[in-house]
Amino acid sequence: MKSGRSGWLGRPAVVASALALASAAALAWGGGLALAGGAGVRPAAATGDITTVAGGVGGPGAGTEVSLGLGQNAVCGISYGSGALYVADSGVVRKVNTQTGGLTTPAGTGTAGPLGDGGPAASATLSTCGATLDHSGNLVIADLGGSRIRVVAAGAGTFYGQAMTAGDIYTVAGNGQFGFLGEGHLATTAKLDSPSAVAVDGAGNLVIADSGNERIRVVAAKTGTYYGQAMTARHIYTVAGNGTYGFSGDGGAATAAELNSPDQAAVDGAGNLVIADGANDRVRVVAASSGTFYGQAMTAGDIYTVAGNGTTGFSGEGGPATGAELDSPRGVTVDGDGNLVISDRGNNLVRVVAASDGTFYGQAMTAGDIYTVAGNGTLGFSGDGGPATSAELASPDQTAVDGAGNLVIADGANGRVRVVAASDGTFYGQAMTAGDIYTVAGNGTGGFSGEGGPATSAVLSGPRRVTVDGAGNLIIADRGNNRIRVVAAGTGTIYGQAMTAGDVYTVAGTGTLGFSGDGGPASSAQLAGPDQAAVDGAGNLVIADSGNNRVRVVAAGSGTFYGQAMTAGDIYTVAGNGLPGFTGEGGVATTAKLDIPQDVAVDGAGNLVIADGANNRIRVVAPRAGTFYGRAMTKGHIYTVAGNGTFGFSGDGGAATAAELRIPEDVVVDGAGNLVITDSANNRVRVVAASSGTSYGQAMTAGDIYTVAGNGILGFSGDGGAATSAELADSGQTAVDGAGNLVIADNGNDRVRVVAASDGAFYGQAMTAGDIYTVAGNGTGGFSGDGGPALSAELSHPQGVAVDAAGDLLVADVSSNRIREVAG
């Protein structure tokens, strides 16, 4: 089963390149990189101190030309209330005037910093994909990265049991720690895990999509009985989901059912909860009362599927919604006619399940059937001013319906808010024609600046991964900008461009999300959310082009690589046919289906090793005929070397190909040739042994898989003790340093941690072999500490780590939009 828990623009995921570590040479960052356009040499930092080496705040946007999607999650949430649109734009909430199209920012700074509770919302730090208005007009925000629900008061008064001042921000649920805790107790003492959306029901209760906990939870507005449970005001309760990833429970109690990345919950006119059960490719309903809803007899408190058959794909148009295929439905809303409006994210469509027979969105519809109302299924941006069904969308995250009945779409990866007009008229300051689509906010540029200038003055957008090539150049997967960028270690010609030491340059991608350019210059090609770039033995850049479901190569020189004739500086696909799914095992890699390949590495034999995330597998493309990972392989063909494709956890101590993985987000190859896998949703780091012997303090058998860090519980614990007993939280990239220590980007804990390979002193600490230690981050999400000890600094979702030749740690501090360095 696929999980949407860390979809290609979803939660943080990070990857490292062991090749870069193995080949990094004397020009590495720690060897004295010139910054500020080469004007000087960066002074050496004290061991264990942290500094920023790329990325920063950047300048403000201007009016309606403002860039949206400045952080890792792009434009991912939208709602309507009190005559305005509210857009959850990663690190801020925007307000769009429906008459003029004017845009303001009532909450969030867009950069990392202090939490800001109890002060002006415009000065607070957020990481959000969902916001709505409550019955008092307060702005309620799902602070996904902060694991909180927060409220911006509309006026002075007492709300949610707290005295509030107009315009200030307060936490009303969640204690800021990732996890599951507090059931039946005060909501502010509870643990949440990546709450992705929040809604307000008719009674004023807060309905939370507690996505990482696989639950829908409710904070009662006042004491009473809701959803079949006795509730106390301001306390928190689960109303759907048992906390286990999976699919089960239809027709039974919602609290006993399995959900899989429930990313949004809405409330329909009858009070039923409607859930976008994303990784199950379904929309499900929890009945508020016994009766017939969506054509089904339902019992109060029970759960039912109303759209999607559980198979990932696209089918069923014009037929029963329960027989249709969906692909990672991220959002669901209910329009004024009671129709379900679904953001069919993976299909790049918005679809509607008709509540009754009639004409809606310009189409004749039959009750219970499903129809596309926006998008042509191609990932990209096109179609403004024309029919919505002919337009290209890019991972639409959520929808809303405004006061005029227009359909409003958070066109996530395009960094835009778009509107499908319900009638002819003027909306958002534009003349619109019924059924046509228009951009009303965002210019699609994201957070991008600084090209050709000092890296520390540049703006990055969700840099998720970082690696170092053999010359010491820093390679950044600037994912939100759909680019691969390089910070030059020295002045010269690098990747075919004249570069100055310390400056930043794009080497692949135009910045426009899409797929194009194979066989031509990499700088003219379109990428889609590239997650990682590695460097192979010939110096070629290998890119995990996640949103395009491909692995692509930028040739370092002219020649034949991966069975293709290549020209220096041009880009080519070497794995994946662009369609999401799993096919092609044992066949030609370019004809195979991948599903969100989140990482790529190159092993010592030159094989491409791919973390095929949503397929829950590690796959290998052979560079030549031979036996690798215990299998006979053919040149250019693709093979699974870990994972059986089932989303789950099993198999430790047995054959890696029989094991269950949960969204393997990262793979590296250590010095012994072992595969080191970040089994992210299992909160573990696992190893596939290259040969029989002792690795990471364990006896291992070649081809078998073992956990080397993490006990499977999401949380933070274990520092100074055995790594396998420690708690991790959605870990991302791993790296192996020169001493063989395992370095982990413990993303959800806002820390970088190390598992010692041997007894000794590393990163300024005495360590014991097999034990785990924090080496950067104090556990508080934010940005602080540059110039001081890394252990005292704030990090904000560190998703990537690499180690340069000098032993310095490089950290992709994603929500801070920076690359930071910890002196070794």
Side-chain angles (χ1 to χ4, degrees):
M1 177 183 296
K2 171 184 89 154
S3 173
R5 199 170 177 202
S6 52
W8 75 270
L9 278 173
R11 291 183 61 190
V14 230
V15 196
S17 167
L19 176 73
L21 172 66
S23 63
L27 287 175
W29 284 76
L33 170 65
L35 290 182
V41 176
R42 179 170 55 88
T47 299
D49 281 1
I50 191 167
T51 53
T52 292
V53 295
V57 176
T64 56
E65 295 303 313
V66 70
S67 296
L68 304 183
L70 299 181
Q72 62 185 344
N73 295 315
V75 181
C76 52
I78 197 161
S79 63
Y80 171 81
S82 299
L85 292 180
Y86 291 86
V87 184
D89 183 17
S90 303
V92 295
V93 177
R94 315 278 197 180
K95 181 179 179 180
V96 183
N97 186 296
T98 58
Q99 300 300 313
T100 67
L103 183 147
T104 56
T105 304
T109 63
T111 61
L115 182 67
D117 264 5
S123 301
T125 295
L126 303 173
S127 175
T128 180
C129 270
T132 192
L133 293 185
D134 67 15
H135 300 324
S136 299
N138 302 309
L139 179 62
V140 187
I141 302 168
D143 191 354
L144 180 146
S147 283
R148 293 173 165 92
I149 303 299
R150 303 172 77 184
V151 165
V152 180
T158 300
F159 309 103
Y160 306 97
Q162 299 182 47
M164 297 187 182
T165 300
D168 286 359
I169 192 168
Y170 304 85
T171 294
V172 295
N175 64 8
Q177 297 178 3
F178 285 84
F180 177 73
L181 183 73
E183 194 70 6
H185 293 86
L186 276 172
T188 49
T189 67
K191 288 183 180 179
L192 306 175
D193 184 4
S194 302
S196 55
V198 61
V200 182
D201 68 15
N205 303 308
L206 300 183
V207 183
I208 303 167
D210 195 3
S211 183
N213 280 321
E214 312 302 331
R215 291 173 164 94
I216 305 298
R217 302 171 81 180
V218 165
V219 179
K222 56 185 178 182
T223 300
T225 299
Y226 311 101
Y227 306 101
Q229 298 184 48
M231 298 188 183
T232 300
R234 305 191 305 280
H235 289 212
I236 193 168
Y237 303 85
T238 295
V239 295
N242 63 8
T244 302
Y245 307 99
F247 173 74
S248 71
D250 265 7
T255 51
E258 292 177 342
L259 305 175
N260 201 341
S261 296
D263 280 325
Q264 188 182 10
V267 185
D268 68 15
N272 303 307
L273 291 183
V274 187
I275 302 167
D277 195 3
N280 280 324
D281 298 309
R282 291 173 165 94
V283 174
R284 302 170 80 181
V285 165
V286 180
S289 58
S290 297
T292 300
F293 310 101
Y294 305 100
Q296 299 183 46
M298 298 187 180
T299 300
D302 287 358
I303 193 168
Y304 305 84
T305 294
V306 295
N309 62 10
T311 300
T312 304
F314 173 74
S315 72
E317 193 70 5
T322 50
E325 292 177 343
L326 305 175
D327 189 352
S328 304
R330 167 69 173 74
V332 62
T333 192
V334 185
D335 68 16
D337 293 305
N339 303 307
L340 298 185
V341 185
I342 302 168
S343 301
D344 195 359
R345 190 172 187 264
N347 282 320
N348 302 298
L349 301 168
V350 176
R351 304 171 80 180
V352 165
V353 180
S356 58
D357 294 351
T359 300
F360 310 103
Y361 304 98
Q363 299 183 46
M365 299 187 182
T366 300
D369 288 357
I370 193 167
Y371 304 84
T372 294
V373 295
N376 63 9
T378 300
L379 181 142
F381 174 73
S382 71
D384 267 6
T389 51
S390 300
E392 292 177 346
L393 305 176
S395 300
D397 270 302
Q398 287 187 11
T399 60
V401 180
D402 68 16
N406 302 308
L407 178 61
V408 188
I409 303 168
D411 195 3
N414 278 323
R416 292 173 165 93
V417 177
R418 302 172 80 181
V419 164
V420 181
S423 58
D424 295 350
T426 299
F427 310 102
Y428 305 94
Q430 299 182 47
M432 298 188 181
T433 300
D436 287 358
I437 193 168
Y438 303 84
T439 294
V440 298
N443 57 19
T445 61
F448 176 76
S449 74
E451 192 71 4
T456 51
S457 299
V459 177
L460 308 176
S461 183
R464 304 211 355 175
R465 290 154 174 77
V466 60
T467 193
V468 184
D469 70 13
N473 302 302
L474 180 63
I475 302 171
I476 304 169
D478 195 1
R479 190 173 188 262
N481 282 319
N482 301 298
R483 290 173 164 95
I484 304 297
R485 302 174 82 180
V486 166
V487 182
T491 298
T493 300
I494 305 166
Y495 300 103
Q497 297 184 47
M499 297 189 184
T500 300
D503 288 357
V504 66
Y505 303 84
T506 295
V507 294
T510 62
T512 300
L513 181 143
F515 174 74
S516 71
D518 266 6
S523 56
S524 300
Q526 290 179 325
L527 305 175
D531 264 327
Q532 168 70 327
V535 186
D536 69 15
N540 303 308
L541 283 184
V542 187
I543 302 168
D545 194 2
S546 297
N548 282 320
N549 297 300
R550 291 173 165 95
V551 175
R552 302 170 81 182
V553 165
V554 180
S558 297
T560 300
F561 309 103
Y562 307 100
Q564 299 182 47
M566 298 188 182
T567 300
D570 287 358
I571 193 168
Y572 304 84
T573 294
V574 295
N577 65 7
L579 299 174
F582 176 74
T583 65
E585 191 69 7
V588 177
T590 51
T591 65
K593 288 182 179 179
L594 306 175
D595 199 350
I596 314 178
Q598 294 185 325
D599 188 32
V600 62
V602 185
D603 68 16
N607 298 299
L608 296 185
V609 186
I610 303 167
D612 195 4
N615 279 323
N616 301 299
R617 291 174 164 93
I618 305 297
R619 303 173 80 181
V620 164
V621 180
R624 61 183 181 275
T627 300
F628 309 103
Y629 303 97
R631 299 186 63 173
M633 298 188 183
T634 300
K635 179 179 180 179
H637 288 212
I638 192 167
Y639 304 85
T640 294
V641 295
N644 64 8
T646 300
F647 177 83
F649 174 73
S650 71
D652 265 6
T657 51
E660 293 177 348
L661 304 175
R662 281 180 173 161
I663 308 298
E665 293 186 351
D666 173 64
V667 62
V668 299
V669 186
D670 68 15
N674 303 307
L675 297 183
V676 184
I677 303 166
T678 303
D679 195 2
S680 181
N682 278 320
N683 298 298
R684 290 175 165 94
V685 177
R686 303 171 79 181
V687 165
V688 180
S691 57
S692 298
T694 300
S695 301
Y696 302 97
Q698 298 183 46
M700 297 187 180
T701 301
D704 287 358
I705 192 168
Y706 304 83
T707 294
V708 295
N711 63 7
I713 298 173
L714 183 143
F716 175 73
S717 71
D719 265 6
T724 51
S725 300
E727 293 177 349
L728 305 175
D730 291 327
S731 296
Q733 188 172 5
T734 60
V736 183
D737 68 16
N741 302 308
L742 180 61
V743 186
I744 304 169
D746 195 2
N747 163 68
N749 283 319
D750 295 309
R751 291 174 165 93
V752 176
R753 301 171 82 182
V754 164
V755 181
S758 58
D759 294 350
F762 309 103
Y763 307 100
Q765 299 182 49
M767 298 188 182
T768 301
D771 287 357
I772 192 168
Y773 304 83
T774 294
V775 296
N778 64 11
T780 300
F783 173 73
S784 71
D786 265 7
L791 285 170
S792 301
E794 292 178 344
L795 304 177
S796 188
H797 293 115
Q799 296 181 354
V801 289
V803 186
D804 69 15
D808 300 322
L809 290 183
L810 295 163
V811 183
D813 196 7
V814 177
S815 291
S816 290
N817 292 309
R818 290 171 167 91
I819 306 299
R820 303 174 79 183
E821 180 183 88
V822 181

